[in-house]
Amino acid sequence: MKIRTLVLAAGCLAAAGLAGCANQNPPPPPPAPAPAAAPAPPPAPMMPANLTPAQQKVAKVQMALNSNGANLQVDGKWGPKTAAALKSFQSAHGLKPTGTMNVITAKALGM
């Protein structure tokens, strides 16, 4: 074989990445896909407008119960769902399940 042919063949192999000992390392693995972002939690319900002071207190209890896993409509009305959610919270936290607010329950709710 002529030298010119060998040089041309070596150049083609080098251009194709097939040259003898030039690169013995395998190609790096492809980058791992980025994990999907977790969906943002729903915004906390705001205090409804035009509530009386007594209704505002009930709404605060409802919001505190929702922050602790309940799913109440925050409307400032003390009804059977609010009382049941409060009883459930009290039972789960070792308190006497009365379904009525007191200082100990308020403290446990973080109020």
Side-chain angles (χ1 to χ4, degrees):
M1 223 187 242
K2 294 185 179 180
I3 292 184
R4 203 163 80 182
T5 305
L6 287 173
V7 170
L8 180 61
C12 288
L13 288 173
L18 301 174
C21 297
N23 187 3
Q24 293 293 325
N25 297 329
M46 294 177 54
M47 177 74 68
N50 301 324
L51 295 180
T52 66
Q55 290 173 325
Q56 288 177 6
K57 289 179 184 180
V58 173
K60 287 178 184 178
V61 171
Q62 290 169 331
M63 289 189 297
L65 287 168
N66 284 346
S67 294
N68 284 281
N71 188 20
L72 298 170
Q73 178 181 354
V74 179
D75 58 6
K77 297 176 184 173
W78 191 275
K81 290 182 182 177
T82 302
L86 188 61
K87 278 184 183 182
S88 176
F89 174 84
Q90 289 168 327
S91 292
H93 289 82
L95 304 173
K96 185 175 180 181
T98 62
T100 58
M101 276 299 293
N102 57 35
V103 175
I104 297 170
T105 302
K107 185 176 179 179
L109 279 169
M111 299 178 66

